[in-house]
Amino acid sequence: MMDTLKASLKLLSLILWIGLWYLPVWLAKKWGKIRWRDGMVRFCYAGILFIIGIRLRITGCLEKIRPLLLVTNHLSYLDICVLGVAAPVRFAPKSEIAAWPIVGRICRVCDAIFIDRRPEKIKEMTGAVQAVLGRGELVCLFPEGTTGNGLHLLPFKSGFFSLAEEKIDGRELTVQPAAIIYTRIRRLPIDTTQWPLIAWYGDMELFPHLWRLLKMGSINAELVFLPPVTASQCGDRKQLASYCHQAIAEAGRNK
């Protein structure tokens, strides 16, 4: 009963918090105050993590070189807030999300790059992301192409790394892997039976999953920035994808 009450209060707080910030963020974008918009969005992300009970630790440093592509593992909708708190990131969600009620609007006001992930659309995706990277903005891709179950890191789709094989405004693209790691629930290590409570994957429905998450209590998470690399250092996009996959998987095993 107490967990249900706490979850209800968290859900109400989330609705009010996101609603409070939507209009100022929308106005900042409309008036071209992008730095203001980005600052407010990051503050909003921090509030969401606080309300849900996510205790985030960030290790390593975000690379300062631009153009920079950030690639990470993907477990949950929580990942967006974890990454968004750390840096003014432009996300590249699948194109279907643009039509989602509420979520689609929020993505648009944050200038998300909607991506059609079909193989025949890879060139179109590459052009859209390159244009943003060329402006010096930080883009984050989830090369697994979907969310995982928390137990195993899915293979990385090497097509996402084709971006790194071409120069952007005469500059080589730097790729930085980062690992998102959820370590504890209510200060106790997460066991294999608890991963479906955090990881959102397969045909799980969003609201029932979020409701269970809000009832869990505090969650410890860590964002680990790993050493950056370029395609020329690895050899080609397939080797680059392999390097990033191995680095992220190893960071997860060490926690």
Side-chain angles (χ1 to χ4, degrees):
M1 183 66 179
M2 186 60 68
D3 285 345
T4 299
L5 177 59
K6 288 181 179 179
S8 299
L9 291 174
K10 286 182 179 180
L11 181 60
L12 177 60
S13 297
L14 281 174
I15 293 170
L16 293 175
W17 180 252
I18 295 171
L20 173 69
W21 285 103
Y22 181 81
L23 181 59
V25 168
W26 182 84
L27 288 173
K29 179 186 176 182
K30 182 178 177 63
W31 294 336
K33 304 294 185 179
I34 302 304
R35 286 190 179 181
W36 292 10
R37 189 275 309 273
D38 290 346
M40 287 188 286
V41 168
R42 291 178 70 180
F43 189 73
C44 184
Y45 284 144
I48 291 172
L49 293 181
F50 177 79
I51 291 168
I52 293 175
I54 307 295
R55 298 173 177 176
L56 177 62
R57 178 187 176 192
I58 300 174
T59 59
C61 296
L62 179 67
E63 177 59 53
K64 294 181 179 180
I65 293 175
R66 298 293 185 272
L68 177 66
L69 178 69
L70 191 66
V71 296
T72 80
N73 56 315
H74 195 19
L75 294 167
S76 169
Y77 41 82
L78 295 175
D79 302 344
I80 303 301
C81 297
V82 167
L83 290 162
V85 164
V89 181
R90 291 280 298 279
F91 293 103
K94 58 185 180 181
S95 56
E96 294 87 341
I97 291 179
W100 288 12
I102 302 176
V103 175
R105 285 181 174 271
I106 292 173
C107 287
R108 281 192 289 273
V109 82
C110 294
D111 283 337
I113 311 165
F114 293 106
I115 299 298
D116 188 330
R117 296 180 179 179
R118 290 174 294 178
E120 63 269 24
K121 296 291 185 177
I122 285 293
K123 286 188 177 181
E124 185 178 322
M125 178 274 287
T126 299
V129 176
Q130 282 179 330
V132 176
L133 290 168
R135 297 197 294 267
E137 298 184 59
L138 175 62
V139 175
C140 179
L141 291 179
F142 300 116
E144 292 169 281
T146 186
T147 48
N149 63 10
L151 298 173
H152 307 286
L153 184 63
L154 298 174
F156 283 3
K157 299 180 184 300
S158 62
F160 284 95
F161 293 86
S162 61
L163 285 160
E165 293 184 317
E166 300 180 26
K167 290 189 176 182
I168 299 174
D169 291 339
R171 296 169 292 171
E172 188 171 19
L173 177 64
T174 299
V175 178
Q176 183 170 23
I180 302 171
I181 308 164
Y182 299 94
T183 57
R184 293 175 178 269
I185 297 175
R186 292 178 176 172
R187 300 186 179 182
L188 296 175
I190 299 172
D191 63 43
T192 55
T193 65
Q194 292 174 312
W195 274 113
L197 300 174
I198 295 178
W200 181 58
Y201 59 97
D203 59 357
M204 291 181 176
E205 294 184 13
L206 178 59
F207 183 78
H209 187 273
L210 175 61
W211 180 249
R212 290 192 297 270
L213 181 78
L214 296 178
K215 293 171 73 173
M216 282 196 303
S218 64
I219 299 170
N220 288 69
E222 186 168 356
L223 175 62
V224 184
F225 288 112
L226 299 164
V229 70
T230 62
S232 62
Q233 290 174 320
C234 290
D236 59 27
R237 62 182 173 85
K238 290 186 177 181
Q239 291 177 314
L240 176 59
S242 178
Y243 166 84
C244 292
H245 187 278
Q246 183 177 348
I248 291 172
E250 186 175 342
R253 285 194 296 267
N254 291 336
K255 298 299 177 181

